[in-house]
Amino acid sequence: MNPTPIDFWFDFSSPYSYLLNEKIDELAARYGRAVRRHPILLGIVFKATGSAPLTLQFAPKAAYSVHDFARSARFMGIAYRHPDKFPLATQNAARAFYWLAASDPAQAQAFTQACFRALFVDNRDISDSETLFEIAAQNGVDRKSLENALQDPAIKARLKEEVDQAPARGIFGAPYVVIDGEAFFGADRLPQIEQWLATGGF
């Protein structure tokens, strides 16, 4: 019997989600786990939970958060540049992911990494459709097929379902990871995630 996958909820505009995404696949593979990704839209989740993006909160907290994004990236050995446009809309990136994941999870994973790096390393605006199509094409995705998928009611409904269910599952932010029922919030929980996988709990 294969171990259950690691469930990973994230938003493409979340810096900490980007950092965790850079590490989680290799970590999961070491313990024989797959990663099951769930892109969501934090703006909607924040409205449901009465919260707000870190950078739109109390000014000192916002400034600290931007500083911590870059410091955390350096600590984890990950390239990072804070985007000029931030936060930004990510519904099309999320819809593209769910469309790709339905037929080719590996391609969806590669697309996720490419989107994150485009935003948080190359300072590209992934809310712009043309930019998103370019990123997808660089990862072997047919543009016309993707254009059609982004307008597909079934794909839109798939994302809406994930977003609507997130607060009901106790998800209040991102990155949010669940391993065998145990929840971990934040990229800084990576050492705890590793120990949990190694020991089965603590």
Side-chain angles (χ1 to χ4, degrees), residues 53-68:
L54 290 171
T55 55
L56 298 181
Q57 296 186 24
F58 176 57
K61 184 175 184 179
Y64 171 85
S65 298
V66 173
H67 178 75
D68 189 62

Side-chain angles (χ1 to χ4, degrees), residues 120-180:
F120 292 113
V121 178
D122 300 327
N123 192 31
R124 299 177 70 187
D125 178 5
I126 64 169
S127 68
D128 176 72
S129 296
E130 284 301 317
T131 299
L132 197 66
F133 293 143
E134 289 172 8
I135 294 168
Q138 290 164 1
N139 285 271
V141 180
D142 177 71
R143 176 183 176 127
K144 188 61 178 177
S145 297
L146 178 56
E147 287 178 349
N148 292 336
L150 294 182
Q151 301 306 317
D152 185 343
I155 297 299
K156 292 181 179 181
R158 177 77 174 86
L159 174 58
K160 185 178 186 302
E161 179 183 19
E162 288 283 350
V163 174
D164 289 346
Q165 288 184 3
R169 294 169 172 165
I171 297 163
F172 50 83
Y176 195 96
V177 168
V178 175
I179 305 170
D180 301 332

Side-chain angles (χ1 to χ4, degrees), residues 1-197:
M1 182 177 179
N2 293 329
T4 57
I6 296 171
D7 284 296
F8 172 29
W9 281 267
F10 65 92
D11 187 313
F12 280 100
S13 72
S14 161
Y16 294 127
S17 292
Y18 157 62
L19 298 182
L20 189 58
N21 187 74
E22 288 287 312
K23 299 290 187 178
I24 196 166
D25 288 295
E26 186 275 333
L27 177 60
R30 273 194 273 138
Y31 295 97
R33 301 277 187 139
V35 177
R36 185 162 51 200
R37 286 174 167 79
H38 307 263
I40 55 175
L41 305 178
L42 279 179
I44 296 175
V45 172
F46 287 153
K47 286 181 181 178
T49 59
S51 187
L54 290 171
T55 55
L56 298 181
Q57 296 186 24
F58 176 57
K61 184 175 184 179
Y64 171 85
S65 298
V66 173
H67 178 75
D68 189 62
F69 298 153
R71 181 179 60 194
S72 296
R74 293 194 304 271
F75 179 74
M76 297 171 74
I78 298 170
Y80 183 85
R81 173 182 172 175
H82 193 66
D84 292 335
K85 184 175 182 179
F86 184 88
L88 75 174
T90 60
Q91 68 269 20
N92 280 339
R95 288 170 185 165
F97 170 89
Y98 283 118
W99 173 65
L100 289 169
S103 59
D104 192 338
Q107 190 175 46
Q109 175 185 340
F111 171 78
T112 298
Q113 185 180 66
C115 281
F116 271 132
R117 290 180 178 179
L119 178 60
F120 292 113
V121 178
D122 300 327
N123 192 31
R124 299 177 70 187
D125 178 5
I126 64 169
S127 68
D128 176 72
S129 296
E130 284 301 317
T131 299
L132 197 66
F133 293 143
E134 289 172 8
I135 294 168
Q138 290 164 1
N139 285 271
V141 180
D142 177 71
R143 176 183 176 127
K144 188 61 178 177
S145 297
L146 178 56
E147 287 178 349
N148 292 336
L150 294 182
Q151 301 306 317
D152 185 343
I155 297 299
K156 292 181 179 181
R158 177 77 174 86
L159 174 58
K160 185 178 186 302
E161 179 183 19
E162 288 283 350
V163 174
D164 289 346
Q165 288 184 3
R169 294 169 172 165
I171 297 163
F172 50 83
Y176 195 96
V177 168
V178 175
I179 305 170
D180 301 332
E182 187 74 12
F184 300 86
F185 174 63
D188 58 347
R189 290 296 181 266
L190 192 65
Q192 291 190 23
I193 290 172
E194 180 167 13
Q195 186 169 339
W196 194 274
L197 288 169

